[in-house]
Amino acid sequence: MSFFRKLKDKISTQTDQMTEKFKSGMSKTRESFTTKLNDLVAKYRKVDEDFFEELEEILISADVGVETVMTLIEELEMEVKRQNIQEPEKVKEVISEKLVDIYYDGDDASVEHLTMSESGLSIILVVGVNGVGKTTTIGKLAHRLKEEGKSVMLAAGDTFRAGAIEQLEVWGERAGVEVIKQSEGSDPAAVIYDGIQAAKSRGVDVLLCDTAGRLQNKVNLMNELAKVKKVISREVDGAPHETLLVLDATTGQNALNQAKTFKEATDVSGIVLTKLDGTAKGGIVLAIRREMDIPVKFVGLGEQMTDLQPFDAHQFVYGLFGDLIKE
Amino acid sequence: MAFEGLADRLQSTIKKITGKGKVTEQDVKEMAREIRLALLEADVNFKVVKDLIKRIRERAVGQEVMDSLTPGQQVIKVVREELTDLMGTEQSKIAVSQKPPTVIMMVGLQGAGKTTSTGKLANLLRKSYNRNPLLVAADIYRPAAIDQLKTLGKQLDMDVFSLGTDVSPVEIAKQGIEKAKENHHDYVIIDTAGRLHVDEDLMGELKQIKETVSPDEIFLVVDAMTGQDAVNVAENFNNDLEITGVILTKLDGDTRGGAALSIKAVTGKPIKFAGMGEKLDQLEVFHPDRMASRILGMGDVLSLIEKAETQYDEKKAKEMEKKMKEMSFTFEDFLEQMDQVKSMGPLDEIMNMLPGANKMKGMKNIQVDDKQLSHIEAIIQSMTKEERVNPNIINASRKKRIAQGSGTSVSQVNRLIKQFNDMKKMMKQMMGGGKKGKKKGLSFPFM
């Protein structure tokens, strides 16, 4: 079965609504990417060096990551030689197959799920640099979990940025969940500790912990984060059950540094890729998956409470190549 | 840092050219590839890179290799000149309206740092220009954005104008200016909500604000970590609003910041200021030439030299250099060095400016942490004069006393002594090992 057929089958078994959401959210991304790819295919009569150079540029313009692109192009060139492909049209398929391959690496796990405690309280720690959308993500995630029938509580661990606590409170109100807070400037570890105690005593299912944004090269702030994580591990066995790194899709190569350093400090278990509803491609998650094996768990596709969707590489690639599949 | 700077990238190619009289076309071709990769890894937009490479190749071929420079240095020089040209000259002036108040509008994507930059800019206007700005909270969409601006206003002790979230941003801006006139503010900074450059409704709203208040400056606030998409963002905002300048935020991170180059290239608008930290006084004038070095991964040597020059006595530096060479460097000197370094600013800032500092042997173990510095200081201050000059006499019981005196532990004292000895060795290598004159640019006292 051809790759596109497989992909199509995979998608059709999932709910239409979800696919639509993903598709419409990523329409800007897809338009530019597919147009470019189609232009490329139409422009070249045969698959030659210039063709690959332009393909390289398309991938780089999606922020896929220079090293990953170089490797990918090399592999593609070999594959094209092996299968003796002459027409650019056929290369399209090989390209998308390779992209999904990078992500799954043979392991065809479908939609990512959040790891939760089997019984009792689950704790999710949310980390990232400034302005990526941590607080917004927590608001959306709280809504989502509540829809799933879980009881949720939020801990306002960003005690540094002006207005951060108020922002989380608004999200708490919208999602209808309680927010545990202290005053601005207090010790974030203490706030999280309070949150855990409150969550325990009220028998809540999930506690979402917000933290202040910090640039990964600030040693003191990264140490502070490690301390917050230690407090969580000490209070609840096996916690945090998830440490989610929030990445802005518009971020370039620095996202790799972010993933690396935050993983060192807090053992990141998954990524939330935000702001994917713009023209940014977020291609860097492919490089992160390839180099650090951190999966993307959710993507942010808009400003509404329901605009957080579980990540699924098939959907992601469908979003990128959807128009091609229909042809 | 995960990515190699241009200098590292060019190493292997350069080795081949060394000794030749001229840079050949083949040399340049090989180097052009490396330059391309370095620029792409720095997030410079690929189209901008393409044009640049073309110009660099044209310029570099056939150049005679100058005596004073290695061929590699010469190529880097060409690259840097091209980048510097593209980046333009320093333009940190802020418009002054003939008819006050001068109106500044802040625009950009979500999370770029508009509200924080609004606070910082207001602070700068007051401190450096002796102005009295009014902050206008026109972000009615993001939860608590108005609270954030109000909190910043409180921290700065400045007036913030808001009408809550039920009034349109256009109306808020309009009334804000009236308020400023009433209360004799000479500047008004309008903080707008973050929005996607492709969101037609919200971009239309910005246009309407612009038409209503005719701002003297429209600053596009851009995250320095932005990738290839920076050109789309800058182009759209510029086409819709005709921005007058750019504020680059989060430049205190470890990003190369190639987006700066892309934005300048597609809009032609100057980058005026850079956000260098989370504190409200950390908005600095943007130096285009230094940015060029940073994008190339060469560190901000210029800033560093400048800082060192203003803070450090050259005669003392010479003396110190001599001491390093002769290995007669003592804890006394170390303490003095630390004072000097500390007066230059936070350590990590200084380390960031050093090219390749992260990769330097022995440097990795020296954690950049200001708190640790104060521990070190305490330990040295608890040593006797004799111990400082001759650390070899520090035995177990002395260590115990030092630890007690400084409120640290014996293991911390041990670590410092070890680090000190390592450093001495390293200094000897650096000072004695290098060829004469070659390390000139790096005779920085702390090293």
Side-chain angles (χ1 to χ4, degrees), chain A residues 8-218:
Chain A
K8 209 172 173 181
D9 283 357
K10 196 109 209 167
I11 302 299
S12 58
T13 55
Q14 281 163 13
T15 58
D16 281 347
Q17 195 202 351
M18 193 168 147
T19 310
E20 266 320 302
K21 189 111 209 173
F22 218 100
K23 255 187 76 181
S24 68
M26 282 194 68
S27 62
K28 291 281 184 310
T29 309
R30 186 181 58 242
E31 264 166 37
S32 58
F33 193 83
T34 334
T35 312
K36 273 186 202 155
L37 204 59
N38 280 332
D39 284 354
L40 175 72
V41 165
K43 204 161 101 190
Y44 288 91
R45 283 261 178 78
K46 63 184 199 330
V47 183
D48 55 13
E49 208 176 300
D50 289 345
F51 174 83
F52 279 115
E53 199 182 304
E54 196 159 327
L55 179 62
E56 184 183 297
E57 278 170 0
I58 291 175
L59 290 168
I60 279 173
S61 74
D63 284 320
V64 169
V66 180
E67 218 188 297
T68 305
V69 171
M70 298 302 158
T71 317
L72 189 74
I73 294 288
E74 236 169 70
E75 284 173 10
L76 265 178
E77 277 178 312
M78 262 166 51
E79 191 68 24
V80 163
K81 234 182 240 164
R82 198 178 62 81
Q83 295 186 26
N84 197 18
I85 298 173
Q86 303 284 338
E87 308 93 73
E89 185 66 30
K90 283 193 180 145
V91 183
K92 267 199 313 201
E93 202 164 307
V94 185
I95 297 165
S96 32
E97 192 169 356
K98 278 268 174 252
L99 282 174
V100 175
D101 258 8
I102 286 187
Y103 197 82
Y104 282 124
D105 198 18
D107 156 33
D108 201 14
S110 199
V111 184
E112 294 282 355
H113 287 287
L114 286 177
T115 313
M116 293 281 181
S117 159
E118 283 182 14
S119 60
L121 176 64
S122 297
I123 300 180
I124 299 176
L125 178 65
V126 179
V127 301
V129 300
N130 317 60
V132 288
K134 284 176 296 301
T135 308
T136 308
T137 297
I138 287 179
K140 292 176 182 172
L141 196 55
H143 171 76
R144 199 181 171 84
L145 291 168
K146 228 186 141 212
E147 291 282 287
E148 286 171 16
K150 294 192 170 69
S151 54
V152 182
M153 189 182 268
L154 312 181
D158 182 354
T159 57
F160 182 81
R161 204 203 69 206
I165 299 170
E166 289 90 338
Q167 188 181 351
L168 194 71
E169 281 184 303
V170 174
W171 277 109
E173 242 166 70
R174 284 184 189 172
V177 303
E178 196 182 342
V179 179
I180 301 298
K181 56 160 189 175
Q182 286 181 16
S183 58
E184 201 180 302
S186 52
D187 177 15
V191 179
I192 304 284
Y193 178 86
D194 277 4
I196 296 172
Q197 300 316 317
K200 275 181 181 168
S201 72
R202 263 157 267 187
V204 165
D205 297 324
V206 189
L207 175 71
L208 299 173
C209 304
D210 195 10
T211 61
R214 62 202 75 217
L215 295 176
Q216 71 274 13
N217 59 339
K218 311 275 174 197

Side-chain angles (χ1 to χ4, degrees), chain B residues 410-424:
Chain B
V410 173
S411 66
Q412 268 171 297
V413 176
N414 275 331
R415 203 180 315 140
L416 177 64
I417 294 172
K418 192 181 171 297
Q419 269 181 359
F420 178 76
N421 286 332
D422 286 351
M423 198 172 106
K424 255 169 104 170

